[in-house]
Amino acid sequence: MSRFLAAIESSCDETAVTLFDLRSYLDGADLQSCIRSELLATSARLHEAYGGVVPELAAREQALALAPLFKKALDDGGITAGDLAAVAATAGPGLNGSLLVGFSFAKGLAFGRGIPLYPVNHLEGHLASHELLPKTERLTPPYLALLVSGGHTEVIAIESNNKKRTLARTRDDAAGEAFDKSATLLGFPYPGGPLLSRAAKGGKRDRFELPIGVADDPKSFSFSGLKTAVLRTVQSLPSPMSEQDRIDLSASVESAIVRALCLKVMTFSNSFSGVFITGGVAANDFLRSELQAACSAKRIGFAAAPPKYCTDNATMIGAAALLTIARDRGGFDNWKPGAGLGPAVPGFEFSTRTAWPVE
Ligand code: KG4
Ligand code: ZN
């Protein structure tokens, strides 16, 4: 009996598949308990030599990886393609070649099996990782979401699952880019965010004074000035850089980025129940602890996406689709496949997009 949802993520250098028991979810089970298999492959190491993701390489790797990964996900869950009731895939924003690989695979699957296809906004996926927290840790709307990744830095008001408003976003680099570009200047291999963060743990956070871009504008972040300041600082230090200089500068960079994020998000905190952080940079321990401290000082809630769901994955994409599907509440037997998303016939009319807001 067809009862499973297949979710696919392929917006950047990850290729990921998660299978959910859709029937159990619609009949009231908690989201986490409905995961039947979960796989992720990444081509990150291939891009190291180029200092950033090479879109063509990423898409080629995804074209090679997706079908076998999908087959393995089915096998791991003891599921066959005939057991699938719906498919969800990231339709944007992201790298177009990468999106096309995952989304076209999903379209073919939906068409071949005669099941509905749910196109998912990648940002909605990051926001839906909130539902992957245990119930007791979830925030009650309205709450603030700080979405910080390699491509995005946004403060979003979550009024309800259907109603979201962007309150602030970056004017230039995303927080993850600021981490990665600073890390490159400090000599860490790409993507250096997590490496810089590890080095920062033993460093003096106040040794180098680094700027907080557009500090007086609550609606914008700006990290391009930080990059220039890091470059100037590196140039002013004896070369080759000593290990202590690298550690202290890493700590100062991390502090500057985290301070900018906390400062802006907390200016909106008054009318919200708490702050939820998600996206790759939300895996950063220092950001988690600083924001938690700021929230408890304000006596509001704090929640962070589970670390393994901070960076790109298919589980959050499936979670976003399930939230949409669940708007037709009333259990699996009352589910109207594809409702609200155009015809129930699998969608040749859906296309991928490189930019896509959440509103
Ligand atoms: O969400 P994600 O996997 O991909 C995008 O949608 O962009 O985020 C990846 C970004 C990279 O810039 C990476 O360096 C950053 O998240 N990142 C971190 C940490 N872990 C991942 N940045 C700082 N500290 C970390 N621990
Ligand atoms: Zn992402």
Side-chain angles (χ1 to χ4, degrees):
M1 157 81 199
S2 309
R3 61 183 290 159
F4 296 97
L5 169 86
I8 297 170
E9 154 65 27
S10 71
S11 65
C12 191
D13 53 347
E14 272 86 21
T15 312
V17 177
T18 299
L19 303 178
F20 293 87
D21 187 334
L22 171 63
R23 172 182 273 273
S24 296
Y25 180 68
L26 290 183
D27 287 346
D30 194 53
L31 193 56
Q32 270 276 6
S33 72
C34 298
I35 298 170
R36 288 293 170 270
S37 63
E38 196 175 47
L39 289 175
L40 184 140
T42 176
S43 60
R45 226 169 282 148
L46 267 186
H47 307 287
E48 240 180 70
Y50 304 93
V53 175
V54 182
E56 177 66 22
L57 270 183
R60 284 188 203 191
E61 288 303 304
Q62 282 156 329
L64 287 172
L66 184 51
L69 199 76
F70 196 85
K71 172 78 171 62
K72 185 165 175 6
L74 287 174
D75 292 347
D76 285 359
I79 295 166
T80 67
D83 297 329
L84 298 175
V87 54
T90 307
L95 303 172
N96 217 34
S98 294
L99 289 167
L100 280 171
V101 172
F103 201 71
S104 300
F105 185 94
K107 269 189 183 178
L109 188 65
F111 185 66
R113 305 282 347 147
I115 55 177
L117 167 65
Y118 290 88
V120 176
N121 175 341
H122 183 80
L123 303 188
E124 295 276 8
H126 277 299
L127 297 175
S129 60
H130 180 262
E131 304 307 304
L132 294 163
L133 285 166
K135 265 195 182 116
T136 51
E137 290 178 30
R138 291 180 210 159
L139 301 172
T140 310
Y143 63 86
L144 289 169
L146 175 64
L147 200 173
V148 271
S149 70
H152 296 273
T153 302
E154 313 212 355
V155 179
I156 299 162
I158 311 290
E159 319 264 359
S160 69
N161 178 39
N162 302 338
K163 203 160 159 237
K164 304 179 176 89
R165 248 176 333 123
T166 302
L167 303 175
R169 58 162 57 106
T170 184
R171 289 185 188 178
D172 39 59
D173 291 347
E177 253 180 306
F179 266 108
D180 294 339
K181 287 179 178 171
S182 302
T184 301
L185 293 170
L186 282 160
F188 295 107
Y190 179 86
L195 301 172
L196 180 148
S197 167
R198 209 169 304 145
K201 287 199 186 347
K204 292 192 204 81
R205 298 196 177 273
D206 55 359
R207 176 163 159 212
F208 299 99
E209 206 173 308
L210 296 168
I212 293 194
V214 290
D216 52 351
D217 175 4
K219 290 203 177 69
S220 310
F221 296 92
S222 170
F223 292 107
S224 57
L226 173 68
K227 194 174 52 193
T228 312
V230 174
L231 176 64
R232 296 236 169 83
T233 309
V234 169
Q235 286 166 343
S236 74
L237 291 168
S239 174
M241 197 187 293
S242 74
E243 217 26 53
Q244 194 57 52
D245 286 350
R246 195 185 321 277
I247 289 170
D248 290 345
L249 190 48
S250 295
S252 303
V253 167
E254 186 176 59
S255 269
I257 297 172
V258 167
R259 272 206 332 270
L261 295 174
C262 291
L263 187 84
K264 295 281 156 84
V265 75
M266 292 315 287
T267 58
F268 297 102
S269 64
N270 277 344
S271 32
F272 295 93
S273 67
V275 181
F276 169 64
I277 49 168
T278 183
V281 179
N284 184 282
D285 292 337
F286 188 60
L287 173 61
R288 289 166 100 98
S289 62
E290 289 293 294
L291 199 51
Q292 180 158 34
C295 287
S296 54
K298 276 260 186 178
R299 295 178 191 285
I300 59 168
F302 169 80
K308 79 166 177 173
Y309 298 128
C310 283
T311 45
D312 292 348
N313 64 87
T315 305
M316 68 181 196
I317 299 303
L322 288 172
L323 289 174
T324 302
I325 293 171
R327 280 182 211 152
D328 281 342
R329 277 274 180 216
F332 186 78
D333 293 335
N334 294 329
W335 171 48
K336 295 182 219 62
L341 290 163
V345 176
F348 281 113
E349 52 288 289
F350 300 132
S351 59
T352 60
R353 297 197 222 169
T354 47
W356 197 345
V358 289
E359 285 140 274

